[in-house]
Amino acid sequence: MSATPRAEKPAGRFRRMLDRLSSSQGDLESQELREDTRVSGCLRISDCDDRQIVKVTGTLRTVTLRPRAGVPALEAELFDGTAPLDVVWLGRRSITGIEPGRKLIASGRVSMSHGRRVLFNPKYELRPLGQE
């Protein structure tokens, strides 16, 4: 019976290797982001509900300057491999370090706007560049 677990382990490793080889780059990046969320102890964005106080992590996909009600607003899309989250800093035209491809941890109260999850003026922590 002890030979059976040994036989299954190589099959498991082989299966994971085949899965990685047959996955697209986007799938692999999403899987890596989901694992990073799990390890960091943050909530998955797909599990965030309206008006819930959350701590999430992910990679900034886009960063744009869009006025909201005549006030400058820096908007970024944070993605953790499960769902996107719009992060908005009202009254800001730019923030050093907030750029596409940068990883960060953000916390605050989630709201829903036009069917999308949004964090307004969140507390945030930029992840070290070496962890990109």
Side-chain angles (χ1 to χ4, degrees):
M1 284 223 180
S2 63
T4 304
R6 287 183 190 162
E8 289 175 3
K9 274 192 174 185
R13 284 186 214 135
F14 182 70
R15 182 49 145 165
R16 284 192 300 272
M17 183 180 72
L18 281 178
D19 287 345
R20 288 188 64 85
L21 290 173
S22 64
S23 297
S24 72
Q25 184 65 27
D27 291 342
L28 293 175
E29 289 172 2
S30 292
Q31 182 179 0
E32 185 178 309
L33 288 169
R34 286 190 301 270
E35 179 62 19
D36 190 40
T37 298
R38 188 189 64 76
V39 169
S40 67
C42 292
L43 186 64
R44 295 180 336 164
I45 292 173
S46 62
D47 294 338
C48 296
D49 293 323
D50 190 26
R51 304 193 44 76
Q52 180 181 11
I53 295 175
V54 299
K55 181 178 177 183
V56 295
T57 187
T59 300
L60 296 176
R61 284 182 165 172
T62 61
V63 178
T64 56
L65 178 63
R66 279 199 193 118
R68 283 183 174 250
V71 176
L74 185 65
E75 292 188 10
E77 182 184 80
L78 185 70
F79 184 68
D80 73 346
T82 64
L85 171 76
D86 294 332
V87 182
V88 180
W89 289 274
L90 297 171
R92 301 297 299 264
R93 294 184 188 281
S94 67
I95 299 174
T96 303
I98 300 296
E99 55 196 29
R102 188 70 189 256
K103 290 185 179 182
L104 65 84
I105 295 173
S107 58
R109 187 177 302 272
V110 172
S111 62
M112 296 298 285
S113 177
H114 305 288
R116 291 181 58 98
R117 293 173 183 90
V118 183
L119 269 182
F120 287 99
N121 296 324
K123 292 181 186 177
Y124 68 95
E125 174 186 331
L126 295 172
R127 304 288 297 272
L129 288 172
Q131 294 183 3
E132 305 293 300

